[in-house]
Amino acid sequence: MMRSVINQLLGLRLSGNCGVTLTQVRDKGHLSRPRLRNPQWFLRKETTKYDDLMTSENKQFVNELGNEGFGVPAVKKENLVNTKEAPANEAVWNPSIRRCGVIARKIGQYPLWLKNGERIRTTLLQVADNHVIKYIPPEEYLPAQVPNVKNLHKRGCILVGSESTNPALLTKEYSGLFRDSGVVPKKNLARFIVSPEAQLQPGTPLNVNHFGIGDFVDVRGKTVDHGFQGVVKRHGFKGMPASHGVTKTHRRAGNIGGGGEKGRVWPGTKMPGHMGNRWRVIKGLRVWRINTKYNVMWVQGSSVPGPTGGLVYIYDTILPLRKNKEAPPFPTFYGETQQGADDIWYEKVHSFKNESITYENE
């Protein structure tokens, strides 16, 4: 009797020959918990750099070449425009088709004003040097964690990279991912689940024109990492009084209600712990403004997850009432933007380039 109780507490299961087998147990926070290290099947990205056999002149030459040829081409407009011709895609867009997303950096916040005088808060996201690396068809794509859903092989996967980097700093295995794409190795990679009708060929550039003015998008990113924090900062507890006999419990949690019949701590009790560094998705953000010169878009609100300079992933929204009613650039934007139209404003937003006060003769 005692042995069975101990096995149940340890999460063990007895087999027929009295052997012990571990049973996998997961708590409810395994999906949003930060990953401390990459899985073993991940390719090693950065390589060890040895400069012992290089002279000082060669080191200077390699550094200059790396700084000029690689990096984020935010102002180089020729790198932001797709000069390839659109493929012969006979598929017609409909609201059920899922397009590819883009990788962006959160570069700050800025207010905008509507034409009725209302002030709105926006977040600036810069789509920096995005290219399609690989397309995996539905019959070949198999995620690392296979979900228990029907029609698993209904959609494919597009691998997108952003921000070119120096190949000399990368391993041979990691650089081999870009061999068939025809682009320089990228610093960041992301996978986007897409419909087969929205597939893109490797080497296709993605820019801010992938989305339109007034569209609604979903933004996914990691929240700011605050480390281990107490209940006052993590959960907003009030704390205890500063005087009248209170000793060393000013910012403590106090009673957690573990007595009575239950005699244990309930799951989900607000206690000190790791704060931040969790994946969060903010859905239904409207695109108020687009700048095609610097590849920047202004989205609604200031609650986009992540710190300034952090990476975020932008998708078409999945909210039923905010999906696109009209066809967006499908499967992506091909062609050049109009000359002189670097800034594109939503119709309800006031552009400070236009006149705000007009005078009429009496």
Side-chain angles (χ1 to χ4, degrees):
M1 180 64 182
M2 182 61 65
R3 183 179 180 183
S4 62
V5 172
I6 295 176
N7 290 331
Q8 292 179 4
L9 293 176
L10 296 178
L12 306 178
R13 183 177 70 249
L14 293 177
S15 58
N17 56 357
C18 295
V20 179
T21 305
L22 288 175
T23 302
Q24 186 178 8
V25 179
R26 281 185 173 181
D27 54 357
K28 63 180 181 179
H30 71 279
L31 294 177
S32 63
R33 183 169 296 170
R35 187 176 62 192
L36 300 181
R37 59 185 63 87
N38 291 330
Q40 60 181 358
W41 59 82
F42 267 45
L43 296 177
R44 192 164 60 92
K45 181 177 179 181
E46 298 179 354
T47 184
T48 305
K49 188 176 181 181
Y50 298 98
D51 295 336
D52 299 339
L53 303 178
M54 295 179 61
T55 61
S56 59
E57 292 79 6
N58 290 338
K59 291 181 181 179
Q60 183 179 1
F61 172 74
V62 171
N63 293 333
E64 293 178 357
L65 183 63
N67 293 333
E68 294 178 0
F70 309 103
V72 182
V75 189
K76 299 179 182 179
K77 197 167 185 178
E78 61 272 8
N79 293 337
L80 303 179
V81 177
N82 188 355
T83 56
K84 297 182 179 180
E85 296 181 357
N89 191 359
E90 300 179 356
V92 180
W93 179 86
N94 60 76
S96 62
I97 291 181
R98 180 177 294 185
R99 296 193 307 157
C100 180
V102 297
I103 308 175
R105 282 199 179 273
K106 178 181 175 182
I107 61 176
Q109 301 180 19
Y110 198 79
L112 293 178
W113 281 264
L114 303 182
K115 293 183 178 179
N116 59 1
E118 181 182 355
R119 178 180 178 270
I120 57 176
R121 304 175 68 176
T122 61
T123 302
L124 282 72
L125 305 177
Q126 185 179 26
V127 184
D129 194 19
N130 279 220
H131 284 82
V132 176
I133 306 302
K134 185 179 181 181
Y135 170 71
I136 305 175
E139 57 273 8
E140 298 180 4
Y141 174 65
L142 186 64
Q145 296 180 355
V146 182
N148 187 14
V149 295
K150 297 180 179 179
N151 300 327
L152 176 62
H153 300 288
K154 182 179 180 181
R155 293 188 173 97
C157 176
I158 291 181
L159 183 65
V160 179
S162 69
E163 299 183 6
S164 302
T165 185
N166 190 355
L169 305 178
L170 305 176
T171 60
K172 182 179 179 180
E173 294 79 11
Y174 183 82
S175 299
L177 298 175
F178 308 89
R179 183 179 297 110
D180 299 332
S181 62
V183 299
V184 180
K186 302 290 184 178
K187 187 185 303 182
N188 309 303
L189 294 176
R191 294 179 296 181
F192 296 96
I193 307 301
V194 298
S195 302
E197 299 83 2
Q199 60 176 300
L200 296 172
Q201 298 300 323
T204 303
L206 302 173
N207 51 42
V208 73
N209 292 311
H210 186 73
F211 303 99
I213 291 296
D215 295 345
F216 292 94
V217 296
D218 296 344
V219 183
R220 180 175 182 262
K222 266 190 176 181
T223 57
V224 179
D225 189 5
H226 293 277
F228 192 95
Q229 297 295 331
V231 292
V232 174
K233 182 174 181 179
R234 191 185 186 200
H235 300 292
F237 279 23
K238 180 181 178 181
M240 296 194 184
S243 61
H244 290 74
V246 179
T247 306
K248 298 183 180 180
T249 56
H250 308 288
R251 296 175 65 90
R252 298 262 182 111
N255 183 20
I256 59 175
E261 296 181 357
K262 47 187 181 298
R264 60 187 176 92
V265 180
W266 283 88
T269 302
K270 295 180 180 180
M271 300 181 71
H274 193 104
M275 179 180 177
N277 197 24
R278 300 291 199 274
W279 287 105
R280 293 292 181 265
V281 181
I282 306 298
K283 301 177 182 179
L285 304 181
R286 184 188 289 274
V287 180
W288 291 104
R289 177 184 171 188
I290 285 178
N291 184 279
T292 58
K293 179 180 180 181
Y294 297 100
N295 230 22
V296 178
M297 60 191 304
W298 283 251
V299 298
Q300 173 70 42
S302 56
S303 59
V304 174
T308 302
L311 288 177
V312 295
Y313 308 107
I314 310 175
Y315 319 82
D316 292 330
T317 185
I318 62 174
L319 298 181
L321 300 180
R322 296 193 177 185
K323 286 187 176 181
N324 290 327
K325 303 298 187 298
E326 300 179 356
F330 183 77
T332 186
F333 176 78
Y334 291 96
E336 297 183 0
T337 57
Q338 299 179 0
Q339 297 294 332
D342 293 337
D343 273 325
I344 307 175
W345 305 72
Y346 186 54
E347 57 183 3
K348 295 183 179 180
V349 179
H350 169 69
S351 175
F352 286 94
K353 297 180 180 180
N354 301 332
E355 296 180 354
S356 58
I357 300 177
T358 57
Y359 299 93
E360 296 181 357
N361 295 328
E362 296 181 356

